[in-house]
Amino acid sequence: MTDSAAPPRKGRPRNADADEAILAATRTVLAEQGWGGLTMGDVAARAGVAKTTLYRRWPSKNELVVSAVAVLFDELEMADLGSLQADIEAVVQQFADLLAQPESRSALLALFAEATRDPALRLRVREAITDPQKQLVRQGRAAAQARGELPPDENPAQARADVDVIFDTIAGAVEHRMLVTGEPASPEWIRRFTTLLLTPMTAPESH
């Protein structure tokens, strides 16, 4: 009788603590040295791991930096707080808090600046950071539709386009506020921005 069980995986299992240390070291070195100054050797030394360990996990500098920044966005969540206004204000505050951290801000700026010159890197940023975060918008819309705040989606293509526009509007406004003008995203600003965003979305349709 043939044993159908899957063969054991070769090699050592990945160490979550080592991964976390490597990604944190990547953001630190990126903030200190910039994209051009960051090397895999510097990251390995800062994280206290061998370069071979680093390359086994991330075969290139691009993949390493994208992962180091993407993990920050994994912490964002769209909580169901009972209203679309409250839900969006909460996630915008989370995003603003992320950008308020000097190391996170520096790493994000360095990655985005390099991505403007590297189409392959830009694609990886979209795949690993931008597109996954659009799920937050979809979750917020679904919760609002379940509460009756928004009408159900009748056209899937239009719904996808709406999600793209809403995401771009939120991300673009917060990033411009904090990274370009250098102004804080205060609770008052977040409330005003969210109100302006939602007014056309929640206004009753005229017949």
Side-chain angles (χ1 to χ4, degrees), residues 88 92 95 130 134 137 161-177 189 192-198 200-201:
I88 294 181
V92 169
F95 187 33
T130 305
K134 291 180 181 179
V137 178
D162 288 347
V163 167
D164 287 344
V165 170
I166 293 168
F167 177 86
D168 289 346
T169 301
I170 293 174
V174 178
E175 289 171 2
H176 185 274
R177 174 78 175 177
W189 182 87
R192 184 173 180 81
F193 164 68
T194 305
T195 300
L196 289 172
L197 175 69
L198 291 180
M201 293 172 57

Side-chain angles (χ1 to χ4, degrees), residues 27 67-76 98 101 103-104 107:
R27 293 189 296 271
S67 293
V69 174
V71 73
L72 298 174
F73 287 85
D74 289 344
E75 299 176 3
L76 303 182
L98 173 62
Q101 301 172 25
E103 189 175 277
S104 299

